[in-house]
Amino acid sequence: MSRRQFTAPTRGSAEPPDDTGCTVLHVDMDAFYASASLISRPELRGRPVIIGGASGRSVVLSATYEARAFGVTSAMPMARAQRLCPQAVIIEPDHRRYAAISEAVMATFATITDSVEPLSLDEAFLDVSGAVRRLGRPTRIAAQLRDTIADEQGITCSVGVASTKFVAKLASNLAKPDGLLVVPREEVVSFLHQLPVGAIWGVGDRTEEHLHRLGLRTVADLAHTPVETLQRALGDVAGRSLHDLAWGRDPRPVKPERREKSIGADETFAYDIDDPERIHRELLRLSDRTAARARSAGMMGRTVSIKVRFADFTTITRAKTLRHHTDVSRDIFATARELYDRLGLQRARIRLVGVRLEGLVPSAVAPIQATLDEPEHGWREADRAVDRASARFGAGSVRPASLMADPPSGSQRARRDLS
């Protein structure tokens, strides 16, 4: 769906919308990373705020709606965002907080229905057909979700209520920020046909320009164009898909999925690095962060992988599967360093490195294997002590001695963590 915000079409009836059969909800947190970051900075609410590293090579993770009004969008280079909105306050991301809030939000979804399909940390589809008898009509369930998330997490969300995933996602986008929009099943076609083609899921800027050149500016124009014409112009699959969506046809069910298939972090340097010791320290930092996020999520993994991107943007990955699952920083770092050293890169100039933990299982079901060189109070207990200290005094308050001499992360590095 286009990033542009469109206006919801007007309804032909003054009666409350009938949500019969509208059992698909799309719940989307409003400017999630920015909203979560402002929980501890309430004095910044209502002001343009950008979430991301301060380095010119960083990218924007998120921005408040006040900053978006100046044209700032996620994934935009930070240097450009600062030119568009020089008065914006820049805040470093706090990925541990984002993961904790996301976990709590997903737990709230799970109290409503088992049929939850997460799309990212901050949005998901819910099929509430099995919850209607217990909790009431879909609109009531959506309102309950919004109130619970606002009360418990201190952030807002927008919810689309419809009979299909496509229309529900479109409705949540049209309801932003902090809104709820119901699209009755019998009004889907009239609702869609009032919208510009750019509002359709999958129509980006380039496709929108192509459709405009064909004289197609509204969804109604798209719907009344023969599918064969669209297929000739856009390709068989895209032409058929857009034609179906223009008539509200979307048979896809909500598919419950595991939210995290891997956990990791990567680092884009402010300038290219060719010092192996610097790379080793960065791998240690990223391994620490990855392990902490795995423990926070209650997961352990068995495969460690690294990613290396060179100055010319060539990217390689290497992975190793361990004998046992782990969430121990020391294990992950030892494997990541071994994988890197095996590359034999000498003084290659490196732009980015990353560490990931894959093959995740819940910690409660993963067997714990002690090692011969592990002290009586082992590395796992040490890591958990660090977690407790970080929770009390802030992330980074306790870290390996080899990292203590490093410069503050916000001054020289552009950070991007992935889940």
Side-chain angles (χ1 to χ4, degrees), residues 103-416:
E103 184 177 357
V105 168
M106 295 298 167
T108 298
F109 295 161
T111 65
I112 302 296
T113 175
D114 292 333
S115 188
V116 178
E117 181 181 342
L119 301 181
S120 63
L121 284 178
D122 61 334
E123 64 174 317
F125 287 112
L126 285 69
D127 182 343
V128 299
S129 54
V132 170
R133 180 174 296 182
R134 176 169 56 95
L135 298 175
R137 302 185 68 85
T139 304
R140 181 179 179 183
I141 294 173
Q144 177 185 333
L145 275 171
R146 295 181 66 240
D147 290 343
T148 301
I149 291 169
D151 291 344
E152 295 183 356
Q153 306 307 322
I155 61 175
T156 63
C157 66
S158 297
V159 183
V161 181
S163 56
T164 66
K165 289 167 71 172
F166 162 57
V167 178
K169 184 170 175 66
L170 180 58
S172 70
N173 185 62
L174 293 169
K176 282 187 171 294
D178 193 17
L180 189 161
L181 181 61
V182 179
V183 181
R185 187 164 51 183
E186 302 303 320
E187 299 179 21
V188 166
V189 172
S190 61
F191 170 85
L192 291 174
H193 286 192
Q194 297 179 63
L195 292 169
V197 292
I200 286 195
W201 197 352
V203 175
D205 293 340
R206 187 169 299 178
T207 302
E208 184 180 32
E209 291 174 4
H210 190 31
L211 292 172
H212 285 176
R213 286 196 296 270
L214 296 174
L216 308 178
R217 296 193 168 274
T218 68
V219 177
D221 295 336
L222 195 64
H224 291 100
T225 300
V227 66
E228 296 80 10
T229 302
L230 295 176
Q231 289 177 315
R232 284 195 298 272
L234 304 172
D236 290 347
V237 175
R240 168 62 67 182
S241 175
L242 290 183
H243 192 265
D244 285 343
L245 293 179
W247 287 103
R249 294 191 286 263
D250 180 16
R252 298 169 305 150
V254 174
K255 293 183 178 179
E257 295 177 354
R258 183 185 296 276
R259 186 158 54 100
E260 291 184 307
K261 298 178 181 178
S262 68
I263 291 175
D266 62 31
E267 195 76 36
T268 300
F269 300 110
Y271 49 86
D272 299 329
I273 301 296
D274 63 1
D275 180 359
E277 290 304 314
R278 283 285 308 277
I279 300 297
H280 286 162
R281 288 204 302 275
E282 196 57 50
L283 290 173
L284 174 58
R285 190 194 312 277
L286 296 173
S287 297
D288 258 2
R289 195 181 309 158
T290 296
R293 294 186 64 197
R295 294 191 297 271
S296 176
M299 307 296 285
M300 300 177 74
R302 194 176 166 202
T303 298
V304 176
S305 68
I306 65 168
K307 176 169 62 174
V308 179
R309 180 168 296 153
F310 299 99
D312 64 356
F313 285 86
T314 300
T315 303
I316 59 175
T317 60
R318 295 292 186 271
K320 179 179 179 179
T321 298
L322 309 177
R323 292 182 62 189
H324 304 284
H325 289 83
T326 187
D327 59 2
V328 177
S329 301
R330 181 174 180 265
D331 295 344
I332 296 171
F333 170 61
T335 307
R337 177 170 176 162
E338 175 189 348
L339 290 168
Y340 178 79
D341 289 346
R342 282 182 181 177
L343 294 173
L345 295 179
Q346 302 295 326
R347 306 291 294 192
R349 300 190 64 80
I350 294 173
R351 175 184 175 87
L352 171 149
V353 291
V355 175
R356 299 198 71 76
L357 185 63
E358 302 167 352
L360 301 182
V361 298
S363 301
V365 302
I368 303 298
Q369 179 70 25
T371 59
L372 293 176
D373 65 341
E374 187 169 280
E376 179 181 356
H377 298 287
W379 296 106
R380 181 167 286 102
E381 287 75 13
D383 278 346
R384 278 158 176 72
V386 171
D387 291 342
R388 291 191 294 272
S390 297
R392 182 175 181 182
F393 300 110
S397 55
V398 180
R399 53 180 173 161
S402 61
L403 299 181
M404 297 302 292
D406 281 3
S409 61
S411 64
Q412 293 191 18
R413 296 203 317 273
R415 177 173 297 162
R416 182 163 51 92

